[in-house]
Amino acid sequence: MTNLLISILIGALAGWLADKVFSRFSLSLWLQILLGIIGGFVGGWVLGNDLEAVLGLPSIVSRILTSFIGAIIVLGITALIKGKKPA
């Protein structure tokens, strides 16, 4: 239960940060959380969950960064599909 709550909080933070980077998207909090959680999976798949070991970051920071990078990828793909250019 604790891991789920932490993942949701990390997802919310990563989704919010990604939403701020792409200023054309103005997502609700629920979509930001969903984007961050999906971004965590995408970021983990792309980066291989090795960010902590490679950069020597604390676990929580590497999880946030991985989710953020994944959320940016998801938003970029969404922008390409919708035809909107990222900011």
Side-chain angles (χ1 to χ4, degrees):
M1 182 67 174
T2 304
N3 263 348
L4 178 64
L5 183 61
I6 290 171
S7 294
I8 290 172
L9 291 174
I10 289 172
L13 179 61
W16 177 78
L17 288 171
D19 188 47
K20 295 303 173 196
V21 169
F22 281 86
S23 61
R24 293 204 172 178
F25 292 100
S26 182
L27 304 174
S28 69
L29 178 62
W30 294 110
L31 286 176
Q32 290 175 3
I33 291 170
L34 182 63
L35 173 68
I37 292 171
I38 293 170
F41 288 114
V42 171
W45 178 67
V46 169
L47 298 173
N49 290 325
D50 290 334
L51 200 58
E52 181 179 350
V54 172
L55 297 179
L57 298 172
S59 177
I60 191 78
V61 175
S62 67
R63 287 176 67 183
I64 292 170
L65 191 57
T66 299
S67 295
F68 173 71
I69 291 169
I72 291 292
I73 291 169
V74 171
L75 271 179
I77 292 170
T78 302
L80 287 174
I81 291 171
K82 286 190 162 194
K84 293 183 179 181
K85 295 181 181 174

